[in-house]
Amino acid sequence: MAKKPNRPLFILSCERSGSTLLRFILDTHPAICCPGHLYLGPLCQSLYDSAYYSIAQLQKDAPESAKELVAIGEVRRVVLDMLGRYSHEKGKSRWCEKTTLNINHLPILSKVFPEGQFICLYRNSLDVIHSSITTSAWGFMDELAPYVQKNPDNFVAAMAESWLEKNQKLFEFEQRHQDQCFRLTYESLVTETNGTLAQLFSFLGLEWDRQLLDNVFTTHHEKGHGDTRILFTETISQASVGKGGRIPLSHLRDDLCQKINVLHNGIGYQPIQMLHAAMQSAADTPLQANENVCVEDLDLRDFFEEKMTEIVKSKHDEFRFRHGICKIVIPGMNDESWLLDTTGKDVTFRKGATNHADCSISISYQTFYDIFKGDINPVDAYDQREIHVDGNMETALRYGKLLFNG
């Protein structure tokens, strides 16, 4: 297959659909750099307006279509220059942009980048609704807030409307630009990873190497907006598939269900009622004998001390690059606290308290045990308010990744 180098690449999806995971995978490929959200859609629209009402108007006797082409050319020049220099410095031939807001700016993106390729990333509505609600304990992200304002008494309906509106735009765009689009579902990405990615990279005209997956979570990726859960991830997991079965269908209006079912059918998903029933059935499947963990006789305090000491020792060199003090507070047990001190030559972990910590992480012994055994993801624990953070959030994330990841 002939390669298609240097074509702009976009991941198009609504929020909570797995775009951060896909970004990390693409960014690991030797030919592609995929930074965090660049907001190219809003940027292109703003640049177009500026160019159209300034430099394009110098073409006094030109037809309207010619003025539009001048403005589009200016936008293209600015963006390609910036990202061309970025990808060149990264030693890569292609760049990819993943901002979820781009889904609201597809007309301008397709005009500015007529040769672009688009990965249309979908995730079933129920799982997106569940994820959107459970990750919003401290407030809904800006992209979701308008839907909550419209449905303040029904968050399920709010998130359903968000999913429907955005994925409808994506589906219609895909139908109009089929030769430039590759349909990908989150479910296939995490359950049939190798085969799905082989097809994707074939579409991109790039070679796919299964061994690339071994480096996804160890390769350095640029900072950027996205799912913080990725910071605590070491492998591609199917754990989030099917959690939408916990959504009460009674909160979904009939008109919403009907519209979503039409779109589900177009994408290839089951109708909501059937999908919900299948999710609940899977969730009710009893654990196998080897999955049961007996903790009644376990001294969680001893477990915490032992495992935390092991973690600090095993990751000593990594902690040395984190200059600061992290206080870990254990609710209950007289609010016992521990200090992880990386300010000196040696990394120390000791029982004690201080008012001068850079950050504080509050976690119970039981939650720590559940994370360590893999029964709960650290980000899920945070979303469910099992972990509380005070102080410098970025510093806490750095320490948390080392303490709780793996």
Side-chain angles (χ1 to χ4, degrees):
M1 174 181 293
K3 293 187 177 181
K4 305 170 184 177
N6 304 317
R7 297 179 67 178
L9 177 61
F10 294 86
I11 299 171
L12 303 176
S13 73
C14 74
E15 302 77 20
R16 314 307 306 169
S17 295
S19 62
T20 302
L21 171 61
L22 184 56
R23 156 171 119 80
F24 272 41
I25 294 172
L26 292 172
D27 193 51
T28 305
H29 193 279
I32 302 175
C33 54
C34 189
H37 291 193
L38 300 180
Y39 301 93
L40 286 192
L43 174 64
C44 286
Q45 188 61 62
S46 295
L47 284 174
Y48 175 84
D49 292 340
S50 297
Y52 177 80
Y53 290 109
S54 59
I55 193 169
Q57 297 305 313
L58 298 176
Q59 312 292 317
K60 296 185 181 299
D61 298 324
E64 193 66 22
S65 58
K67 294 179 181 179
E68 291 175 355
L69 287 176
V70 169
I72 289 172
E74 286 298 310
V75 177
R76 181 178 173 86
R77 178 184 60 79
V78 171
V79 176
L80 288 183
D81 177 67
M82 176 178 64
L83 291 181
R85 286 188 286 120
Y86 173 72
S87 56
H88 176 74
E89 291 297 322
K90 296 284 288 185
K92 301 198 175 187
S93 60
R94 299 188 66 178
W95 53 264
C96 177
E97 148 73 328
K98 62 142 291 195
T99 308
T100 51
L101 278 176
N102 287 341
I103 213 166
N104 295 321
H105 300 275
L106 296 177
I108 188 67
L109 287 175
S110 59
K111 289 179 181 178
V112 174
F113 307 108
E115 81 284 30
Q117 289 185 298
F118 302 88
I119 303 172
C120 300
L121 176 61
Y122 299 95
R123 187 180 183 188
N124 78 76
S125 61
L126 291 177
D127 280 353
V128 170
I129 292 169
H130 178 271
S131 181
S132 298
I133 292 175
T134 57
T135 57
S136 302
W138 312 115
F140 286 86
M141 63 181 74
D142 292 343
E143 298 91 332
L144 299 176
Y147 300 92
V148 176
Q149 292 173 336
K150 184 179 176 182
N151 300 272
D153 59 343
N154 188 339
F155 292 164
V156 172
M159 297 304 99
E161 287 190 0
S162 172
W163 183 94
L164 178 62
E165 179 179 309
K166 294 164 186 176
N167 283 280
Q168 187 68 53
K169 290 179 181 178
L170 178 55
F171 184 76
E172 291 173 357
F173 178 82
E174 179 192 355
Q175 298 306 299
R176 292 194 301 268
H177 303 271
Q178 293 186 27
D179 59 330
Q180 295 174 261
C181 293
F182 180 87
R183 180 183 297 179
L184 177 65
T185 67
Y186 174 79
E187 293 81 9
S188 66
L189 181 62
V190 300
T191 62
E192 303 170 12
T193 306
N194 188 53
T196 298
L197 291 174
Q199 294 178 41
L200 169 60
F201 280 89
S202 175
F203 165 78
L204 299 178
L206 296 171
E207 293 184 3
W208 167 247
D209 183 353
R210 166 63 180 80
Q211 294 183 343
L212 211 69
L213 293 174
D214 298 332
N215 303 320
V216 169
F217 302 105
T218 56
T219 297
H220 170 74
H221 303 284
E222 303 286 8
K223 290 182 181 179
H225 294 159
D227 188 357
T228 54
R229 188 185 312 270
I230 202 79
L231 299 175
F232 298 92
T233 302
E234 290 187 328
T235 185
I236 296 174
S237 170
Q238 305 174 20
S240 296
V241 176
K243 288 190 175 181
R246 302 172 185 175
I247 294 294
L249 288 187
S250 58
H251 285 57
L252 276 176
R253 303 191 307 268
D254 289 343
D255 62 313
L256 271 177
C257 281
Q258 292 172 5
K259 293 176 182 177
I260 290 175
N261 282 341
V262 171
L263 188 50
H264 263 209
N265 181 64
I267 299 170
Y269 290 123
Q270 293 177 309
I272 282 183
Q273 293 79 359
M274 293 178 61
L275 185 61
H276 189 266
M279 289 177 172
Q280 289 192 320
S281 177
D284 291 338
T285 302
L287 293 174
Q288 299 298 318
N290 62 359
E291 294 177 4
N292 289 301
V293 179
C294 182
V295 299
E296 287 83 355
D297 299 326
L298 181 65
D299 189 326
L300 293 181
R301 180 185 298 177
D302 289 346
F303 179 86
F304 174 83
E305 295 178 12
E306 175 186 344
K307 294 304 178 185
M308 286 292 282
T309 301
E310 286 181 8
I311 291 169
V312 172
K313 286 183 178 179
S314 66
K315 299 184 178 181
H316 182 275
D317 291 342
E318 296 172 81
F319 277 116
R320 287 176 60 191
F321 291 100
R322 309 284 187 250
H323 187 81
I325 298 176
C326 177
K327 180 168 70 174
I328 303 173
V329 180
I330 311 299
M333 301 284 189
N334 299 317
D335 286 345
E336 293 181 347
S337 61
W338 300 78
L339 299 178
L340 176 60
D341 189 344
T342 62
T343 58
K345 291 184 178 180
D346 293 324
V347 179
T348 62
F349 177 71
R350 64 184 186 277
K351 198 169 183 180
T354 180
N355 293 323
H356 304 291
D358 297 278
C359 62
S360 176
I361 300 175
S362 177
I363 180 173
S364 70
Y365 290 130
Q366 183 64 56
T367 300
F368 174 80
Y369 177 81
D370 292 341
I371 291 173
F372 185 86
K373 298 299 292 182
D375 292 338
I376 187 172
N377 181 282
V379 179
D380 285 334
Y382 178 80
D383 291 341
Q384 296 168 20
R385 305 186 186 186
E386 299 293 336
I387 299 177
H388 297 269
V389 175
D390 291 311
N392 188 302
M393 178 62 74
E394 185 173 348
T395 300
L397 281 174
R398 291 198 193 107
Y399 282 117
K401 182 177 180 180
L402 290 173
L403 291 172
F404 305 133
N405 194 21

